[in-house]
Amino acid sequence: MLVVMQSNATEEQVRIVCQRIESLGLKAHPIPGAVRTAIGITGNESSVDLGVLESLPGVVECIPVSKPYKLVSRDAKEEDTILRIPTPRGEVLVGGPHVALVAGPCAVETEDQSLAVAERIAKTSCRLFRGGAYKPRTSPYSFQGLGEPGLKILARVRKEFGFGIITEAIDNESLDLVEQYADVIQIGARNMQNFSLLKRAGRAKKPILLKRGMSATLDEFLMAAEYILSEGNYNVMLCERGVRTFSDFSRNTLDLAVVPAVKKRSHLPILVDPSHGTGKRHKVLPLSRAAVAVGADGLLVEVHHEPDKALSDGMQSILPEEFATLADEVRQIATVLHRHVN
Amino acid sequence: MLVVMQSNATEEQVRIVCQRIESLGLKAHPIPGAVRTAIGITGNESSVDLGVLESLPGVVECIPVSKPYKLVSRDAKEEDTILRIPTPRGEVLVGGPHVALVAGPCAVETEDQSLAVAERIAKTSCRLFRGGAYKPRTSPYSFQGLGEPGLKILARVRKEFGFGIITEAIDNESLDLVEQYADVIQIGARNMQNFSLLKRAGRAKKPILLKRGMSATLDEFLMAAEYILSEGNYNVMLCERGVRTFSDFSRNTLDLAVVPAVKKRSHLPILVDPSHGTGKRHKVLPLSRAAVAVGADGLLVEVHHEPDKALSDGMQSILPEEFATLADEVRQIATVLHRHVN
Amino acid sequence: MLVVMQSNATEEQVRIVCQRIESLGLKAHPIPGAVRTAIGITGNESSVDLGVLESLPGVVECIPVSKPYKLVSRDAKEEDTILRIPTPRGEVLVGGPHVALVAGPCAVETEDQSLAVAERIAKTSCRLFRGGAYKPRTSPYSFQGLGEPGLKILARVRKEFGFGIITEAIDNESLDLVEQYADVIQIGARNMQNFSLLKRAGRAKKPILLKRGMSATLDEFLMAAEYILSEGNYNVMLCERGVRTFSDFSRNTLDLAVVPAVKKRSHLPILVDPSHGTGKRHKVLPLSRAAVAVGADGLLVEVHHEPDKALSDGMQSILPEEFATLADEVRQIATVLHRHVN
Amino acid sequence: MLVVMQSNATEEQVRIVCQRIESLGLKAHPIPGAVRTAIGITGNESSVDLGVLESLPGVVECIPVSKPYKLVSRDAKEEDTILRIPTPRGEVLVGGPHVALVAGPCAVETEDQSLAVAERIAKTSCRLFRGGAYKPRTSPYSFQGLGEPGLKILARVRKEFGFGIITEAIDNESLDLVEQYADVIQIGARNMQNFSLLKRAGRAKKPILLKRGMSATLDEFLMAAEYILSEGNYNVMLCERGVRTFSDFSRNTLDLAVVPAVKKRSHLPILVDPSHGTGKRHKVLPLSRAAVAVGADGLLVEVHHEPDKALSDGMQSILPEEFATLADEVRQIATVLHRHVN
């Protein structure tokens, strides 16, 4: 934390701020400047809310300096975390040189639909399958997912085609069930700061895919992951899925720059979801290429064999044959970065 | 929904879109224009995801027309909802001509602290007390609230000073407890789209205060309230607490225009939280005045007798004597609008 | 500027950063912390682009500390600036205890229309008239204003009814003309960072009304004003007119918290434009009340006697009789703040 | 335009709205629905401000349907525009299958600096050189560019190394000069809605590079280009350079999805500026790869041989050898899209 004093702050005011800092068990470092004095603070700041210094006489502003996350930080672990996701056909790696494709319908609608999509995806190299059994929907009158029967369908997809399964939990109750059936537990964007759920995810035995909230800063995103790691679950993948802006042409604005930004600060892998990130079918392929080109560790793509009959998000689902093209193009781009897609 | 066709769409393409619409049990109304054709849709749209029409050949765009909320809408109930909050000293009314003040510390820290703040607030006309026993915090290492012991302290504040109590629930477990101890259950901004929690709140026996999410549109905000009403709890107050923007000078941007916008569309009362809405002590008083001037049905203000020792949000808490001034000024402003503050 | 080093930065790396700082004629103040070292910088930073330090080995981040504006700052002038706007009927004061109303049509359309609106506004206490002769329009096919003939109509309004005239200049050529005809020269939101125009405004003999850009931070807004003052024109009023956000219910989001924020940092008066700020007629009255309640030094309101025939912005124009109500209500609210409306 | 009526609107109210529409020379198409009536409008809407219908009794909302741009639209010209930029060594093509690299320092500082950078860039395949002689700067106290002497230095770079030159004009005066010296005239983000300058650019004899404003919607961006085309200059390239959001880790948020969105609506080529778009050196390479992968028609990259001595934007400039790597990687990625970089 750095405390900036007013240009006309008195020496007495500076002294009082320093005293208050030291009374909190921290150390104050006044830096007298030509125009004004600033006061650096060192020590363990996390235990106190230093913002209150801003209300002392003569203070202009408190500027946070050190980042609040620890376990997710490259300071704590310098090398990339590589996640190992078990599937019936062996492990899928995510992170480091490994780029993972995850595909499947937005929602598990029926067994027939899920098997039909899965069968088509199985023909590509993709080995991870996604599909929602619990669907957070803006309207209470929209399809909310099949619940546990949906999880059973996913289990059948797993068995039939050898996919690892990623599916979303929306509260502690559903997380208990998802943990039994799936290989990766997804926490959705709307729950990124559902801290109760994050703590439960931190006690889960399965890897977590944590999606970025719609207006989450990078610090908040990493702090949400910190909640999971701080409870003991170190197997966390992040996922960028678009942020909310004034955009008039897409549902969200896919913030691809977050990928190198995460990689600079954290050892965790980060995937990109170009389907939610754009909300439009014709943007999924170009943004998938861009995501791999920017250095993402994987893609989460909505695929449906009959998108215009989908019960949710049909607008952003691509066809299985479009996904095959996508898989082919991103593989070539990964090669340029000396990475490989599995 | 309105489907806009490309300027060079063929008659055949228009016909196919109409067929698809009718096959979904809806009615298509083609409107041929000078440049292009648009197709209006009528019928019960909520059961189908019409966005998929956007992927049919010749279609440019699908534009949603009718609003998705029902029970919260003025279409369903024309006159203002007036909530009646029971307190040991009789009911406090919110909505219609009634403007309610709610004050108290961000977090319940100790019994002494809570009683000290409550005693000072009791000297004003304010009759509703707020304080968090469960605190959603960005960092897992920050103070997370006292939990049930905090609720017991609030119960003592209730008994001692006759306040109605408003406090936040952060998951289904805490909601069970909050429902027992408090007079109003708060759902915080980060949980505005925690649909599992909203449904539970809809089955609660107490009124709900629902805060707007950090980047929630008005439609999403009203739909979140619709979740609660659709489960049978019609006692819902909304609360604007600032949205996330590029602002470089305040934690959030308080969006006061949402107040007349809500009043145009919905019969529910809406309060404003100028403390979270600005994040800075010196902005609380001016924005409180502005909130009442714009037509808000109440204020939620953080008050602490020793803000620089607060365990959370000290930066945005005002002193009890500042709150007394605030109460006085907003009372005068309410008079200009022919309303009264209780 | 504060330079934050990585937790594992070597002493050598810290030394090199300090050397580089000193080679730029500045002074480096290393602050060793428990986790990492930070380096404070003092001296005249404005001449160099210190951000480049961020690329030196071992550096995490450069955090700007001192604010870049000087003449607009309360550091330069502690007391409120009160502008004196000459009108045929004597000066109108803006700032300090004085709240000014400015009203008129969005665009000067015809002499009849302008005189009709002016006649009605003249019946209220409002003494400043606004109306655009040069209209920046999103579409090249929209009405672009009458140009100099429009200015002549405004001169007639001035003479006939004794109003002071505020009208917009959109480039150096139009500014030359506006300077001749008007009492206050408006620089619109889209030109807030048209630095060539700002410099010209800084050499004008008339006061300037500078509107905030659609996505301008507070620092950028004040720096734009600094451009004008730095050329010698100290008669500047700021104007908040809404910023761009994700809002789905209003054209812009009126950021009223900027008013106390400006007043904390700068001595310049700040007005609010609730017409552009909301874009909807039914929000103009409530947001006008809120603007005066928050402490604005004036209002800029679009008034039209036949808004549904207006050539531009009819949606946000109110009727003369609605303006009379508005003037009455804000006068009462100003009284609560011990200010008076002229 | 579509007019949505209230659910309880009377037949009389619907009739009056239709009358008003027809009185404006347009045709009204009422669409009675189960819940409410909507009214479609056809005819030449551009001449009237239909938003005012929103204030008629019984109307909920007016929803714009047809897009306001004409000449920039794919409706006007279906095939991609390919620009031909003359250079001393022959034409450089931009658009269609052609991806163009543009590189150079943020600002022309001295002849030595410009020639040094140019010499290094000349060793790559890049054939277009950028560098600012007129610099729009947030602060009046920052380096504002060399002006005409800077243009002369660029002319020398052109002659010496055979580059085509792209440089910014900031007002009508500088545009006159830039038109003489440069091969492409750049209009910067801050001037995207400086309509006076856009009109002047529309009368220029040279191609225009138009940067997207910091908070410009896609419609506004295309309308700004429409200003240029409507004056007769059809040689326009667009350029995405990042938009303003709440991001806490980058200066702007590069909105790569705008590339496929532009390509769907318009025939104009669109480039990407990853230097301004991220503001950080370490993000330039990954975002450059992403931009070409998403389908951009070129890149604008800031290169400086001594970035830590740069007078402006050193933080986001990369070294010539980093640019050589960048050129190599994007060339490989372009191949995946069956395009070639020149």
Side-chain angles (χ1 to χ4, degrees):
Chain A
M1 184 72 75
L2 190 82
V3 180
V4 183
M5 303 297 294
Q6 287 168 354
S7 64
N8 57 358
T10 62
E11 278 185 40
E12 176 64 9
Q13 288 173 334
V14 173
R15 208 181 49 75
I16 289 173
V17 174
C18 292
Q19 267 183 349
R20 170 63 53 88
I21 291 165
E22 311 242 325
S23 79
L24 294 165
L26 304 168
K27 202 161 159 30
H29 304 261
I31 316 169
V35 183
R36 61 180 82 237
T37 295
I39 304 168
I41 302 179
T42 54
N44 178 10
E45 301 182 11
S46 70
S47 53
V48 272
D49 186 356
L50 288 170
V52 298
L53 296 170
E54 215 165 286
S55 64
L56 291 179
V59 174
V60 174
E61 213 177 353
C62 291
I63 300 175
V65 169
S66 53
K67 291 302 181 192
Y69 38 86
K70 300 177 204 293
L71 301 171
V72 304
S73 164
R74 287 233 184 246
D75 286 349
K77 175 165 180 284
E78 210 164 332
E79 70 280 11
D80 288 346
T81 286
I82 299 178
L83 257 67
R84 305 174 163 276
I85 302 173
T87 81
R89 299 189 182 170
E91 285 178 340
V92 174
L93 305 186
V94 186
H98 309 282
V99 179
L101 294 184
V102 187
C106 178
V108 175
E109 297 168 9
T110 64
E111 188 166 282
D112 282 358
Q113 166 249 17
S114 298
L115 292 174
V117 177
E119 188 188 1
R120 286 161 175 83
I121 294 174
K123 289 178 186 156
T124 70
S125 60
C126 175
R127 293 177 55 200
L128 299 172
F129 188 83
R130 52 144 296 148
Y134 300 91
K135 300 299 307 169
R137 299 300 296 274
T138 304
S139 164
Y141 312 119
S142 296
F143 174 60
Q144 310 267 323
L146 298 178
E148 192 169 4
L151 294 176
K152 288 187 171 152
I153 292 172
L154 289 170
R156 178 136 185 236
V157 165
R158 187 180 199 281
K159 202 175 154 199
E160 200 98 350
F161 299 100
F163 283 117
I165 298 294
I166 297 185
T167 194
E168 180 167 355
I170 58 169
D171 51 20
N172 293 352
E173 296 70 35
S174 58
L175 199 146
D176 289 346
L177 287 167
V178 168
E179 193 176 8
Q180 288 171 41
Y181 288 95
D183 301 294
V184 177
I185 303 165
Q186 178 177 319
I187 306 289
R190 288 178 184 80
N191 282 315
M192 192 201 85
Q193 291 196 318
N194 180 340
F195 300 119
S196 174
L197 188 59
L198 295 177
K199 286 179 188 169
R200 172 67 186 81
R203 294 186 300 269
K205 301 278 171 293
K206 299 276 173 73
I208 306 296
L209 178 91
L210 176 66
K211 288 197 157 186
R212 182 180 180 189
M214 230 168 272
S215 60
T217 62
L218 177 52
D219 279 2
E220 289 169 346
F221 193 16
L222 292 175
M223 287 309 287
E226 184 85 15
Y227 260 93
I228 303 172
L229 272 74
S230 72
E231 295 281 332
N233 189 347
Y234 283 67
N235 291 313
V236 175
M237 295 175 270
L238 305 171
C239 182
E240 160 66 22
R241 43 78 73 206
V243 292
R244 180 151 282 172
T245 69
F246 59 84
S247 176
D248 61 334
F249 66 87
S250 62
R251 206 161 91 165
N252 295 293
T253 296
L254 197 68
D255 182 13
L256 289 180
V258 85
V259 173
V262 161
K263 297 213 159 293
K264 202 178 179 201
R265 287 163 184 75
S266 175
H267 52 86
L268 297 176
I270 176 163
L271 284 69
V272 169
D273 174 347
S275 306
H276 284 91
T278 64
K280 301 271 175 164
R281 194 184 298 181
H282 74 276
K283 296 207 185 86
V284 173
L285 174 58
L287 271 305
S288 293
R289 287 191 308 246
V292 171
V294 91
D297 298 302
L299 296 176
L300 226 77
V301 184
E302 288 190 6
V303 177
H304 200 292
H305 65 305
E306 295 173 320
D308 45 0
K309 291 188 186 155
L311 290 182
S312 65
D313 283 348
M315 271 175 88
Q316 66 195 34
S317 294
I318 60 172
L319 292 166
E321 46 272 31
E322 293 171 317
F323 177 69
T325 305
L326 183 157
D328 180 52
E329 292 190 6
V330 301
R331 185 178 314 279
Q332 294 178 56
I333 289 174
T335 309
V336 179
L337 284 77
H338 308 293
R339 307 184 75 190
H340 46 87
V341 178
N342 55 37
Chain B
M1 184 73 75
L2 191 82
V3 181
V4 183
M5 303 297 295
Q6 287 168 355
S7 64
N8 58 357
T10 62
E11 278 184 41
E12 175 66 7
Q13 288 172 335
V14 173
R15 208 180 50 74
I16 289 173
V17 174
C18 291
Q19 267 184 348
R20 171 62 52 87
I21 290 165
E22 311 242 325
S23 78
L24 295 165
L26 304 168
K27 197 156 163 38
H29 303 260
I31 316 171
V35 182
R36 60 181 83 237
T37 295
I39 304 168
I41 302 179
T42 54
N44 177 12
E45 302 183 8
S46 70
S47 52
V48 271
D49 185 356
L50 288 170
V52 299
L53 297 170
E54 215 166 287
S55 63
L56 292 179
V59 174
V60 175
E61 214 175 350
C62 290
I63 299 175
V65 169
S66 52
K67 292 302 178 190
Y69 38 85
K70 299 178 205 293
L71 301 171
V72 303
S73 164
R74 287 232 185 246
D75 286 349
K77 175 164 181 285
E78 211 165 330
E79 70 280 10
D80 287 346
T81 286
I82 300 179
L83 258 68
R84 305 176 163 276
I85 302 173
T87 80
R89 300 190 182 169
E91 285 178 339
V92 173
L93 305 186
V94 187
H98 310 282
V99 179
L101 295 184
V102 188
C106 178
V108 175
E109 297 168 7
T110 62
E111 188 167 280
D112 283 357
Q113 167 250 15
S114 298
L115 292 174
V117 176
E119 188 189 359
R120 286 161 174 83
I121 294 174
K123 288 177 186 157
T124 71
S125 60
C126 175
R127 292 177 56 200
L128 299 172
F129 188 84
R130 52 145 296 148
Y134 299 91
K135 301 299 308 169
R137 300 300 298 274
T138 305
S139 164
Y141 312 120
S142 297
F143 174 61
Q144 310 267 323
L146 298 178
E148 192 170 5
L151 295 176
K152 289 186 173 154
I153 292 173
L154 289 170
R156 178 136 184 238
V157 165
R158 188 181 198 281
K159 202 175 152 199
E160 201 98 350
F161 298 101
F163 283 117
I165 299 294
I166 297 185
T167 194
E168 180 167 355
I170 58 169
D171 52 20
N172 293 352
E173 295 72 33
S174 57
L175 199 147
D176 290 346
L177 287 166
V178 168
E179 193 177 8
Q180 289 171 41
Y181 288 96
D183 301 294
V184 177
I185 303 165
Q186 177 177 318
I187 306 290
R190 288 179 182 80
N191 281 315
M192 193 202 83
Q193 291 196 317
N194 180 340
F195 300 118
S196 174
L197 188 60
L198 294 177
K199 286 179 188 168
R200 173 64 188 82
R203 294 186 299 269
K205 300 279 170 289
K206 298 277 172 73
I208 306 296
L209 178 92
L210 176 66
K211 289 197 155 186
R212 182 180 181 189
M214 229 169 272
S215 59
T217 62
L218 177 53
D219 278 2
E220 289 169 346
F221 192 15
L222 292 175
M223 287 309 288
E226 184 86 14
Y227 261 94
I228 303 172
L229 273 75
S230 72
E231 295 283 333
N233 188 347
Y234 283 67
N235 291 314
V236 175
M237 293 175 270
L238 306 171
C239 182
E240 160 67 22
R241 44 77 72 206
V243 293
R244 181 151 281 172
T245 69
F246 59 83
S247 176
D248 61 335
F249 66 87
S250 62
R251 207 161 90 165
N252 296 293
T253 296
L254 196 68
D255 182 12
L256 289 180
V258 85
V259 173
V262 161
K263 298 215 157 289
K264 202 179 178 202
R265 287 164 184 74
S266 174
H267 52 85
L268 297 176
I270 176 162
L271 283 69
V272 169
D273 174 347
S275 306
H276 284 92
T278 64
K280 301 271 177 166
R281 195 184 298 181
H282 74 276
K283 296 207 186 84
V284 173
L285 175 58
L287 271 305
S288 293
R289 286 191 309 246
V292 172
V294 91
D297 298 302
L299 296 175
L300 227 77
V301 183
E302 288 189 8
V303 176
H304 200 292
H305 65 304
E306 296 174 318
D308 44 359
K309 290 188 186 156
L311 290 181
S312 64
D313 283 348
M315 270 174 89
Q316 66 195 34
S317 295
I318 60 171
L319 292 167
E321 47 271 31
E322 293 172 318
F323 178 68
T325 304
L326 183 158
D328 181 52
E329 292 191 6
V330 301
R331 184 177 313 279
Q332 294 178 57
I333 290 174
T335 308
V336 179
L337 283 79
H338 308 294
R339 307 184 76 190
H340 46 88
V341 177
N342 54 37
Chain C
M1 184 73 76
L2 189 82
V3 181
V4 183
M5 302 297 294
Q6 287 169 354
S7 64
N8 58 359
T10 62
E11 278 184 41
E12 175 66 9
Q13 288 173 335
V14 173
R15 208 180 50 73
I16 288 173
V17 174
C18 292
Q19 267 184 351
R20 170 63 53 88
I21 291 165
E22 311 242 326
S23 79
L24 295 164
L26 303 169
K27 197 157 162 39
H29 304 261
I31 316 171
V35 182
R36 62 180 82 236
T37 294
I39 303 167
I41 302 179
T42 53
N44 177 12
E45 302 182 8
S46 71
S47 53
V48 271
D49 185 357
L50 287 171
V52 298
L53 297 170
E54 215 166 284
S55 63
L56 292 179
V59 174
V60 175
E61 214 175 350
C62 291
I63 299 175
V65 169
S66 52
K67 292 301 180 190
Y69 39 84
K70 299 178 206 294
L71 300 171
V72 304
S73 164
R74 287 235 185 245
D75 286 349
K77 175 164 180 286
E78 210 165 332
E79 70 281 10
D80 287 346
T81 286
I82 298 178
L83 257 69
R84 305 175 163 277
I85 303 172
T87 80
R89 299 190 184 171
E91 284 179 341
V92 173
L93 305 186
V94 187
H98 309 283
V99 179
L101 294 184
V102 187
C106 178
V108 175
E109 298 168 7
T110 63
E111 187 167 279
D112 283 356
Q113 166 250 15
S114 298
L115 293 174
V117 177
E119 188 188 0
R120 287 161 174 84
I121 293 174
K123 289 178 186 155
T124 71
S125 60
C126 175
R127 293 177 55 200
L128 299 172
F129 188 84
R130 52 146 295 148
Y134 299 90
K135 302 298 308 169
R137 299 301 297 275
T138 305
S139 163
Y141 310 120
S142 297
F143 174 60
Q144 311 267 323
L146 298 178
E148 192 171 5
L151 295 176
K152 289 187 172 154
I153 293 173
L154 289 170
R156 175 128 189 243
V157 165
R158 188 180 198 282
K159 201 175 153 200
E160 201 98 350
F161 298 101
F163 284 118
I165 299 293
I166 297 185
T167 194
E168 180 167 354
I170 58 169
D171 52 20
N172 293 351
E173 295 71 34
S174 57
L175 200 146
D176 290 345
L177 287 166
V178 167
E179 192 176 10
Q180 289 171 41
Y181 288 96
D183 301 294
V184 177
I185 304 165
Q186 177 177 319
I187 305 289
R190 289 180 181 79
N191 282 316
M192 193 203 83
Q193 290 196 317
N194 181 339
F195 300 118
S196 172
L197 187 60
L198 294 177
K199 286 179 188 166
R200 173 63 187 84
R203 294 186 299 270
K205 300 278 170 291
K206 298 276 174 74
I208 306 296
L209 178 91
L210 176 66
K211 289 198 157 186
R212 182 179 180 189
M214 230 168 273
S215 59
T217 62
L218 177 53
D219 279 1
E220 288 169 347
F221 192 16
L222 292 175
M223 288 309 289
E226 184 86 14
Y227 261 94
I228 302 172
L229 272 75
S230 72
E231 294 283 331
N233 188 347
Y234 283 66
N235 291 313
V236 174
M237 293 175 272
L238 305 171
C239 182
E240 160 68 22
R241 44 79 70 207
V243 293
R244 180 151 280 173
T245 69
F246 59 84
S247 176
D248 60 336
F249 65 88
S250 61
R251 206 161 91 166
N252 296 294
T253 296
L254 197 67
D255 182 13
L256 289 180
V258 84
V259 173
V262 161
K263 297 214 158 289
K264 202 178 180 203
R265 288 164 184 74
S266 174
H267 52 86
L268 296 176
I270 175 162
L271 283 69
V272 169
D273 174 348
S275 306
H276 285 91
T278 63
K280 300 272 176 164
R281 196 184 298 182
H282 74 276
K283 296 208 185 83
V284 173
L285 174 59
L287 271 305
S288 293
R289 287 191 308 248
V292 172
V294 92
D297 298 302
L299 296 175
L300 226 77
V301 183
E302 288 188 9
V303 177
H304 200 290
H305 65 306
E306 296 174 318
D308 45 359
K309 290 187 185 157
L311 290 182
S312 64
D313 284 347
M315 271 174 89
Q316 65 195 34
S317 295
I318 60 172
L319 292 166
E321 47 271 32
E322 294 172 316
F323 178 68
T325 304
L326 183 158
D328 180 51
E329 293 191 6
V330 301
R331 184 178 313 278
Q332 294 178 57
I333 289 174
T335 309
V336 179
L337 284 79
H338 309 291
R339 308 184 74 188
H340 46 88
V341 177
N342 55 37
Chain D
M1 184 73 74
L2 189 82
V3 181
V4 184
M5 302 297 293
Q6 288 168 355
S7 64
N8 57 358
T10 62
E11 278 184 41
E12 175 65 8
Q13 288 173 334
V14 173
R15 208 180 49 75
I16 288 173
V17 174
C18 292
Q19 267 183 349
R20 169 63 53 88
I21 291 164
E22 311 243 325
S23 78
L24 295 164
L26 304 168
K27 202 161 158 31
H29 304 261
I31 316 170
V35 182
R36 61 180 83 237
T37 295
I39 304 168
I41 302 179
T42 52
N44 178 13
E45 302 182 9
S46 71
S47 52
V48 270
D49 185 356
L50 288 170
V52 298
L53 296 170
E54 215 165 287
S55 63
L56 291 179
V59 173
V60 175
E61 214 176 352
C62 291
I63 300 175
V65 170
S66 53
K67 292 301 180 193
Y69 37 86
K70 300 176 204 294
L71 300 171
V72 303
S73 164
R74 287 233 184 247
D75 286 348
K77 175 164 181 284
E78 210 165 331
E79 70 280 12
D80 288 345
T81 286
I82 299 178
L83 258 67
R84 306 176 162 275
I85 303 172
T87 80
R89 299 189 183 170
E91 286 178 340
V92 173
L93 305 186
V94 187
H98 309 282
V99 179
L101 295 183
V102 187
C106 178
V108 175
E109 297 167 8
T110 63
E111 188 167 282
D112 283 357
Q113 166 249 18
S114 299
L115 292 174
V117 177
E119 187 188 1
R120 287 162 174 84
I121 294 174
K123 289 177 184 155
T124 71
S125 60
C126 175
R127 292 177 55 202
L128 299 172
F129 188 83
R130 52 145 295 149
Y134 299 91
K135 301 299 307 169
R137 301 299 298 274
T138 305
S139 164
Y141 312 119
S142 297
F143 175 60
Q144 311 267 324
L146 299 178
E148 192 170 4
L151 295 176
K152 289 188 172 152
I153 292 173
L154 288 170
R156 173 129 191 243
V157 165
R158 188 181 198 281
K159 200 174 155 200
E160 200 98 351
F161 298 101
F163 284 116
I165 299 293
I166 297 185
T167 194
E168 180 167 354
I170 57 169
D171 53 19
N172 293 352
E173 296 71 34
S174 57
L175 200 146
D176 289 346
L177 287 167
V178 168
E179 192 176 9
Q180 289 171 40
Y181 288 97
D183 300 293
V184 177
I185 304 165
Q186 178 178 318
I187 306 290
R190 289 178 183 79
N191 281 316
M192 192 202 83
Q193 291 196 318
N194 181 339
F195 301 117
S196 173
L197 187 61
L198 294 177
K199 286 179 188 169
R200 173 64 187 85
R203 294 186 299 270
K205 301 277 170 291
K206 298 277 173 74
I208 306 295
L209 179 92
L210 176 66
K211 289 198 157 187
R212 182 180 180 188
M214 230 169 271
S215 59
T217 62
L218 177 52
D219 278 2
E220 288 169 347
F221 192 17
L222 293 176
M223 287 309 288
E226 184 85 15
Y227 261 93
I228 303 172
L229 273 74
S230 72
E231 294 283 332
N233 187 348
Y234 282 68
N235 291 314
V236 175
M237 294 176 269
L238 305 171
C239 182
E240 159 67 23
R241 43 78 72 206
V243 292
R244 179 151 282 173
T245 70
F246 59 84
S247 176
D248 61 334
F249 66 86
S250 62
R251 207 161 91 166
N252 297 293
T253 296
L254 198 67
D255 181 13
L256 289 179
V258 84
V259 173
V262 161
K263 297 214 158 291
K264 201 178 179 203
R265 287 163 184 74
S266 175
H267 51 86
L268 297 176
I270 175 163
L271 283 69
V272 169
D273 174 347
S275 305
H276 284 91
T278 64
K280 301 272 176 164
R281 194 185 298 182
H282 73 276
K283 296 207 185 82
V284 173
L285 174 58
L287 271 305
S288 292
R289 287 192 308 246
V292 172
V294 91
D297 298 302
L299 296 175
L300 226 76
V301 184
E302 288 189 9
V303 176
H304 200 291
H305 65 304
E306 294 173 320
D308 45 359
K309 290 188 186 156
L311 290 182
S312 65
D313 284 348
M315 270 175 89
Q316 66 195 33
S317 293
I318 61 173
L319 292 166
E321 48 270 32
E322 294 171 316
F323 178 69
T325 305
L326 183 158
D328 181 51
E329 292 190 6
V330 301
R331 184 177 313 279
Q332 294 178 57
I333 289 173
T335 309
V336 179
L337 284 78
H338 309 292
R339 308 185 75 188
H340 46 88
V341 178
N342 55 35

